[in-house]
Amino acid sequence: MKKFVLGAAMAVMMSTAAHAETIGVSMALFDDNFLTVLRNGMSDYAKTLNGVELQIEDAQNDVAKQQSQIQNFIAAGVDAIIVNPVDTDATAAMSKIAADAGVALVYVNREPVNVDTLPDKQAFVASNEQESGTLETQEICKILGGKGKAVVMMGELSNQAARMRTKDVHDVLATEQCKGIEIVEEQTANWSRTQGADLVTNWLSAGVEFDAVISNNDEMAIGAIQALKAAGRSMDSVVIGGVDATQDALAAMAAGDLDVTVFQNAAGQGQGSVDAALKLAKGEPVEKKVYIPFELVTKENLDKYQAKN
């Protein structure tokens, strides 16, 4: 009897070990509010799964470091890899490395340049960036009544999200309802709160007049708010918009400083990328593009999103 129990226990242990799966994760940057929520979403979800382990690395915004991390994951024998790209124009080489090794690869949040030609066992999980900047700018246009002057703060230009969100802004402002809004300045602040504050400070010092700040993300928008307050400008005199609906952004909206943001489900993207990686590793079919919808957040529906965070 003892032998039978011991044998059964060993069989369970071997079965668990056989089904244990390791996913290597390379994040573009740990020091980023939104990407932290994304990373935590992956980790928290993986903890609910039996036999799934994540090895998460910080690429520190270094393309070469990220490529090296992918190679190291493959050498370590991971079952799948998730990449939040530092530079979305550098993903073709990463796809080739993974494909040559036969390892499943999932890009998360930032759209790879080769998204339409991804090899087998590769996919992209994110939100559709055609929605983000569009929802944000349409709401700002509505608040302004279709007239006024706006400044645009762009993310890192190496990121497809920054380019797409900025295109969304221009497309909306070209419509009949919003063509009365003029873009008077447009520069990058690299997704950074500090750089956003510096950029708006420079605009104010140069005498640039504007009625709205249209930012590619919340962090830069919060930087703009800080600069405007430091300059003594009333927040009632300017419309501020961002994207991501981070906790800090929702707090700024509750305080009456931020007017518009767009909820990007970071935790949902994290969970979706883990699910896709596990399926691809098992040879199961996965859509090449898995999109999780954006949602507009204003002061009117703020309570709903504060509850989510």
Side-chain angles (χ1 to χ4, degrees), residues 34-55:
F34 177 81
L35 295 183
T36 296
V37 178
L38 175 63
R39 173 164 46 93
N40 290 342
M42 290 185 207
S43 297
D44 292 344
Y45 179 57
K47 290 174 185 174
T48 69
L49 304 175
N50 186 36
V52 175
E53 178 187 352
L54 301 188
Q55 296 179 5

Side-chain angles (χ1 to χ4, degrees), residues 87-103:
D87 183 346
T88 53
D89 287 336
T91 53
M94 297 176 190
S95 285
K96 186 177 188 306
I97 293 170
D100 288 348
V103 177

